[in-house]
């Protein structure tokens, strides 16, 4: 089937049916600047129907038993892989490029990760904590469902984010209403088509729409847990709305990750890896390196290596020989442009890049900035784009203090030939995840989330299971 036909047939997944009709909203192709597709927006009635369906389906889903739930999760992961070609075609429209990290087709990496997560989450035992097992009584803590989970996701990882939220929620016996970003709804709605005949009706529902639909979903009385991945402002709004009804939240928000490079590194080798960790998908990753602290003794060499990598990139569509993707939304493109303009006006130096490529689409070249100040917005705030401020340090303590000196706390890394020393420095970073000699690896079995404005709660690992569950203490008197 042609991709245009697939798009025509996209609709919301509500109670096991693909539901179309209602208003269409434009999805811009950031590679061309043109409208790539028109996507249905859920009406208030459709959203209500999705939430009601999820609530109605939840008790039976919790009762089917763990083994069946695990099989469904595995099948959902496998089905994404079987449909990766169509997902790639849709992702090309909403992301603007047919390639992603490592030159792979743009959806391939996300689908691969989602499939890996499905397998591992499906194999994860639901923990039971034995508190007491005496002659008199047995006390244990088990994980029971929360109910209906609202899974709201950002535009930078629409397939993976929706999938891993759904897998966690389903394992525990919850049902789901997922809402993708209005900038990247096509792949998520297609996931509904793929999953329609795998999950029982109502167990997973997917509705597209703007922030208003997200807000309505958070406020819907059927929803008991909101799992939100997005920006700090959206996360705050969700937290406030959820607090009124005492709903549980998991908030995976923005980051301003620092990497600290000690003077003993192999500059060339580390520069390559730092470059990738900063500029993969044009820096549009929550856990991209967004500030780089480099010891003064290797500063010039490191900047030169980073600049060499950046200057080899071509920010253009693949058909035009491009190697570097566009910024997915026009608003984010404008934000990156203004942040860099502001820094340059205050004395920063763009060693590479520094202004948009020009022409069609949201292409902005990899931009390495030096001579930056901590007070500049490009350093203090999350850029979420292809910009890396490189900051010279003399005293390690000053670098650590500066690294910790923003409102964020998602990830951080330390790079050194001395792993022990680097580990001790990494332990001083205020971040949900710290890395030594890497930055950005994630695993379904390691908790992931942020401190401070970077979020509340964790996904993945045992805390990630707990986030999608209520802890129920069971006290059984034996006589
Ligand atoms: P965003 O906050 O604008 O939107 C995210 C989602 O929330 C969208 O689906 C949007 O429609 C919805 N939304 C917005 N306001 C809402 C509200 N008041 N109530 C309910 N839903 C609402 O974020 P974005 O621009 O799509 O994504 C970029 C941000 O996401 C960056 O800050 C990035 O760091 C962050 N992010 C974080 C992680 C993580 O795991 N920590 C992962 C990916 C992206």
């Amino acid at each position: 089937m042609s991709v245009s036909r697939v798009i025509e047939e996209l609709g919301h997944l509500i109670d096991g049916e693909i539901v179309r009709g209602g208003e269409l909203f434009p999805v811009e192709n950031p590679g061309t600047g043109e409208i790539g597709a028109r996507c249905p927006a859920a009406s208030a009635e459709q959203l209500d129907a999705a939430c009601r369906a999820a609530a109605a389906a939840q008790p039976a889903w919790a009762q089917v038993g763990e083994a069946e739930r695990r099989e469904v999760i595995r099948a959902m992961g496998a089905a994404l892989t079987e449909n990766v070609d169509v997902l790639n075609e849709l992702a090309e429209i909403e992301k603007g490029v047919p390639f992603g990290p490592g030159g792979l087709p743009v959806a391939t990496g996300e689908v691969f990760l989602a499939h890996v997560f499905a397998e591992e989450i499906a194999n994860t035992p639901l923990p039971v904590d034995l508190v007491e097992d005496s002659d008199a009584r047995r006390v244990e803590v088990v994980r029971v469902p929360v109910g209906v989970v609202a899974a709201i996701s950002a535009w930078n990882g629409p397939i993976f984010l929706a999938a891993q939220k759904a897998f966690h929620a389903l394992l525990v016996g919850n049902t789901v209403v997922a809402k993708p970003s209005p900038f990247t709804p096509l792949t998520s709605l297609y996931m509904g088509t793929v999953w329609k005949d795998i999950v029982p009706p109502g167990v997973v529902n997917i509705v597209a729409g703007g922030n208003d639909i997200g807000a309505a979903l958070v406020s819907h009385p059927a929803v008991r847990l909101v799992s939100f991945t997005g920006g700090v402002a959206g996360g705050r709004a969700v937290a406030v709305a959820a607090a009124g009804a005492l709903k549980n939240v998991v908030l995976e928000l923005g980051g301003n990750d620092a990497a600290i490079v000690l003077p003993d590194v192999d500059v060339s080798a580390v520069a390559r890896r730092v470059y990738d960790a900063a500029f993969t998908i044009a820096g549009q990753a929550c856990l991209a390196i967004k500030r780089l602290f480099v010891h003064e003794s290797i500063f010039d060499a490191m900047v030169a290596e980073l600049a060499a990598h950046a200057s080899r990139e071509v920010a253009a569509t693949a058909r035009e020989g491009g190697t570097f993707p566009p910024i997915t939304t026009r608003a984010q493109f404008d934000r990156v442009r203004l942040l860099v303009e502001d820094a340059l006006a205050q004395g920063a130096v763009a060693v590479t890049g520094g202004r948009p490529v020009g022409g069609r689409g949201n292409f902005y070249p990899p931009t390495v900035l030096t001579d930056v100040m901590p007070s500049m917005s490009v350093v203090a705030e999350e850029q979420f784009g292809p910009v890396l401020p490189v900051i010279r340090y003399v005293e390690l303590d000053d670098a650590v203090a500066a690294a910790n000196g923003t409102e964020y706390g998602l990830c951080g890394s330390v790079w050194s030939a001395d792993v022990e020393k680097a580990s001790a420095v990494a332990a001083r970073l205020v971040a949900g995840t710290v890395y030594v000699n890497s930055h950005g690896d994630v695993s379904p079995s390691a908790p992931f989330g942020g401190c401070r404005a970077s979020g509340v709660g964790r996904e993945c690992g045992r805390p990630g299971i707990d986030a999608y569950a209520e802890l129920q203490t069971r006290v059984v008197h034996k006589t």
Side-chain angles (χ1 to χ4, degrees), residues 95 110 152-159 161-162 165 179-184 188 228-231 252 384:
K95 291 277 186 74
E110 277 194 69
I152 300 175
S153 43
W155 43 262
N156 63 332
I159 300 169
L161 292 172
K165 286 178 190 300
K179 193 208 83 73
S181 164
F183 298 104
T184 53
S188 299
F228 175 91
T229 298
E252 299 288 355
F384 212 60

Side-chain angles (χ1 to χ4, degrees), residues 254-350:
N256 194 356
D257 289 8
I260 301 177
V261 185
L262 304 193
D264 63 358
V265 298
D266 173 341
V267 172
S268 171
V270 168
R272 171 78 253 176
R273 292 164 66 196
V274 163
Y275 179 85
D276 288 342
F279 289 108
T280 294
I281 55 169
Q284 300 166 98
C286 56
L287 43 47
I289 296 176
K290 299 190 175 100
R291 295 171 296 148
L292 182 65
F293 294 87
V294 180
H295 189 262
E296 62 164 355
S297 61
I298 54 166
F299 184 86
D300 292 343
M302 179 64 74
V303 169
E305 290 276 347
L306 292 169
H309 292 303
S311 59
R312 280 194 278 275
E313 304 273 23
V314 180
T317 62
R319 287 181 191 85
E320 296 159 341
T323 62
F324 197 75
I327 298 176
T328 302
T329 79
R330 194 68 189 179
Q332 192 60 28
F333 172 83
D334 288 338
R335 176 171 160 74
V336 168
R337 183 173 55 77
L338 292 174
L339 283 172
V340 174
E341 277 175 13
D342 172 64
L344 296 179
Q346 292 185 62
V349 173

Side-chain angles (χ1 to χ4, degrees), residues 57-442:
Q58 195 273 323
W61 176 245
Q63 288 303 314
V64 297
E66 262 181 65
E68 191 173 328
R69 295 204 297 270
R70 292 176 194 282
E71 276 316 305
V72 169
I73 293 167
R74 281 191 196 98
M76 291 166 79
L80 293 179
T81 298
E82 284 155 21
N83 287 276
V84 70
D85 291 342
V86 181
L87 288 165
N88 269 318
E89 289 195 71
L90 296 170
E92 180 176 347
I93 294 170
E94 60 191 19
K95 291 277 186 74
V97 280
F99 58 85
L104 291 169
V106 68
T108 298
E110 277 194 69
V111 167
F112 173 77
L113 210 53
H115 196 168
V116 168
F117 271 57
E119 289 294 323
E120 190 145 337
I121 291 167
N123 290 335
T124 302
L126 288 178
V128 177
D129 302 324
L130 185 60
V131 177
E132 179 185 329
D133 193 13
S134 64
D135 290 344
R137 61 180 202 160
R138 181 179 171 88
V139 181
E140 61 185 18
V141 181
V142 299
R143 277 70 189 163
V144 298
V146 177
V148 176
V149 175
I152 300 175
S153 43
W155 43 262
N156 63 332
I159 300 169
F160 169 69
L161 292 172
Q164 69 107 356
K165 286 178 190 300
F167 300 154
H168 276 104
L170 297 188
L171 175 66
V172 184
N174 305 295
T175 52
V176 174
V177 180
K179 193 208 83 73
S181 164
F183 298 104
T184 53
L186 306 176
T187 44
S188 299
L189 288 190
Y190 188 67
M191 287 160 75
T193 306
V194 169
W195 287 344
K196 180 172 86 71
D197 298 323
I198 295 175
V199 291
V203 168
V204 174
N205 305 270
I206 304 177
V207 291
N211 297 356
D212 53 335
I213 282 291
L217 174 58
V218 171
S219 302
H220 195 284
V223 168
R224 289 309 318 157
L225 162 66
V226 184
S227 175
F228 175 91
T229 298
V232 174
R236 281 207 179 95
V238 166
V240 168
L246 298 175
K247 297 181 183 187
N248 299 4
V249 291
V250 182
L251 304 174
E252 299 288 355
L253 309 181
N256 194 356
D257 289 8
I260 301 177
V261 185
L262 304 193
D264 63 358
V265 298
D266 173 341
V267 172
S268 171
V270 168
R272 171 78 253 176
R273 292 164 66 196
V274 163
Y275 179 85
D276 288 342
F279 289 108
T280 294
I281 55 169
Q284 300 166 98
C286 56
L287 43 47
I289 296 176
K290 299 190 175 100
R291 295 171 296 148
L292 182 65
F293 294 87
V294 180
H295 189 262
E296 62 164 355
S297 61
I298 54 166
F299 184 86
D300 292 343
M302 179 64 74
V303 169
E305 290 276 347
L306 292 169
H309 292 303
S311 59
R312 280 194 278 275
E313 304 273 23
V314 180
T317 62
R319 287 181 191 85
E320 296 159 341
T323 62
F324 197 75
I327 298 176
T328 302
T329 79
R330 194 68 189 179
Q332 192 60 28
F333 172 83
D334 288 338
R335 176 171 160 74
V336 168
R337 183 173 55 77
L338 292 174
L339 283 172
V340 174
E341 277 175 13
D342 172 64
L344 296 179
Q346 292 185 62
V349 173
V351 182
T352 62
R355 60 171 186 270
V357 170
R360 297 181 323 148
N362 301 341
F363 287 101
Y364 199 101
T367 294
V368 176
L369 290 180
T370 60
D371 298 80
V372 293
M373 305 287 292
S375 57
M376 292 176 182
S377 301
V378 79
V379 178
E381 297 172 19
E382 179 186 45
Q383 319 103 9
F384 212 60
V387 184
L388 183 63
V390 191
I391 302 149
R392 186 190 301 267
Y393 76 85
V394 180
E395 299 297 335
L396 187 54
D397 285 349
D398 295 338
V400 171
N404 288 336
T406 75
E407 66 169 331
Y408 300 92
L410 192 59
C411 307
S413 61
V414 182
W415 302 72
S416 170
D418 183 340
V419 169
E420 227 169 274
K421 181 175 180 186
S423 302
V425 179
R428 295 167 62 194
L429 296 178
V430 180
T433 303
V434 293
Y435 301 96
V436 169
N437 294 328
S438 80
H439 196 116
D441 16 329
V442 292

